[in-house]
Amino acid sequence: MPHPPVLRRRTGAAAAGALALAALGPVAPAHAASYGTPTITLSAGYLSGAVGATGDPAVTVTVAQSGADAGSLGVTASASSRASVAGTGDVTVTGTGATRQLRVAAHARGYADLTIKVTGLGGKSATKTLRFAASAAVQNAPDTRYLTGSSDSSAAVDAGDGYAVVADDESNTLRLYDRSSSGAPVRTWDVASALGVSKEIDIEGAARVGDTVYWTGSLGNNKDGEYKADRNTVFTTTVSGSGATTQLTVTGSYKRLRDDLVAWDKANGNRYGFAAGTADGEAPKQIDGFNIEGLEFAPGSTTTAYLGFRAPLVRPEPGGKALIVPVTNFDKVAGSGAKAVIGTPIELDLGGLSIRDIRKNSADQYLIVAGSWAADDNSDPYALYSWDGVAGHAPQKRLDLPTADPGGWEAVVGVPDLNTPGARAQLITDAGRRTCTGTAPRPRTSTTPSGRSPAPPGSRWAADVVPHRLSAARTRSQAVYCGGTAAASARTGPRFSVRMRRSTYSSPATSGGNVATIIWDTSWPTSSDST
């Protein structure tokens, strides 16, 4: 049976399909994209933290892979040398793209090496080791701050906008810190070359007037009773900018203030024993020694500065008074090298304690940190006093500072209006070298067998002072750095209270230093209800 029309239609369809395939060409096999090996960079090879803390610093992780978008790369912790301190699940990575932020939540005091892994496309990866060190648990962790890079902070001045410049009595480096954040200094200035010194100045006091910051060394012998000329230094720095943009320039110095003080005391009958206290072989931290730790200007003055003495006491016996010696031309002494003109000394009853720092505000309200002439840690009492700066007016004891924690109370950053409810002031401590993260302290320049610095604890930010009225007062403190955790409480009196929030951590940076934060809430009576 003939069916030519149908046959023709099918043949035509087949021909059309063949033409379509020919137009498309042969099908090529799929090829995998070419990816390079990923790269991973850490902003720091070390990170520190504390158990239960929420304000620990972060490490910036930068990743890349040729042929791949950085957002497609994964960053995780793949291994830990000591999961009991911090495991892989304790590492948090945030952010997208080429830059991520990595934080570690500590479980226990100690060290751990964490392997940080970037996983790229094509099954390729790379790793870096992050060395982590943690201190023991702290109270009120959300309020803690961690400031690294120095373990012997000794003086501080407000730089504005929530920043402070901090000195260290074991180096000649000034450091700018963000007082609200954890981490390393924003800027540093080594003033040694500008001052022509090669050894430590032993910076112990600072005061700011306008754009000039005045700094003083202890002026005393070293701990072995040896005279070191560089410690007999006062100097000035000029401030430009504020906050994070602060810059310091050394502008003046004087290296004979100790000599002027000794000569003045000799001319006045050796009343304070300055010549004996500075004699060869005399250590400075004795009840009759010679050691300056406080510096602040007199009420309403930009020329007369108060030198606050840690030693001697007056008289040099238990219960003696603290000594302030005014220098009436201190602006010219430190600024242009003029010989010191000494004013009438002031003796203060601080309950047998001496001056560790003195600071005032623009309303001439002073805070004095009082401590033992001998204490290098918190083994002896410390107290906080307020004062109006007027000779003959007695300071008022506001509270006993907690002594259960490592380190000695050392400095006041700034003084708020002490009569304003909610005002806050920061203190700082010098914790020096302590056993922390389970490792005994070593000299600051040494390293452990693993290559880590020994990570001694360091200065602790302190004391957000908040006046408020409570019927009873308590101080709650916690020893966190050395030897684990211990809690203690003590009454401070019926009219004001202290709530202490403290955290610490080790910083295995090459400087061997570490700063930890203490935040306080302290209330005290106003002038109308003080006892």
Side-chain angles (χ1 to χ4, degrees), residues 236 251-254 330-338:
T236 60
T251 48
S253 66
Y254 183 58
F330 195 79
D331 58 325
K332 294 182 173 60
V333 171
S336 56

Side-chain angles (χ1 to χ4, degrees), residues 40 42 45 59 61 74-83 86-93 102-104 111-119 125-132 452:
I40 178 170
L42 305 181
V59 165
V61 183
V75 178
T76 59
S78 60
S80 171
S81 65
R82 189 171 299 173
T88 58
D90 300 312
V91 176
T92 302
V93 180
L102 183 149
R103 290 178 170 83
V104 181
Y111 286 114
D113 288 346
L114 296 167
T115 301
I116 310 304
K117 181 178 181 180
V118 55
T119 301
S125 64
T127 62
K128 286 282 187 180
T129 298
L130 176 66
R131 302 189 184 281
F132 180 69
R452 297 187 182 91

Side-chain angles (χ1 to χ4, degrees), residues 264 272 274 307-314 321-325 345-348 350 353-355:
W264 165 81
Y272 299 115
F274 287 173
L307 301 178
F309 281 74
R310 177 173 176 169
L313 285 183
V314 186
K321 293 184 178 181
L323 176 63
I324 289 176
V325 174
I346 301 170
E347 298 173 9
L348 298 179
L350 301 180
L353 300 178
S354 58
I355 295 171

Side-chain angles (χ1 to χ4, degrees), residues 176-202:
L176 178 68
Y177 287 105
D178 182 345
R179 293 162 60 181
S180 66
S181 301
S182 302
V186 177
R187 299 175 188 270
T188 63
W189 300 269
D190 188 338
V191 299
S193 60
L195 293 171
V197 300
S198 59
K199 303 295 184 181
E200 69 182 51
I201 297 171
D202 192 26

Side-chain angles (χ1 to χ4, degrees), residues 48-53 56 83-87 90 104-110 132-136:
S48 299
V51 177
D56 287 345
S84 60
V85 173
D90 300 312
V104 181
H107 274 311
R109 186 173 62 123
F132 180 69
S135 289

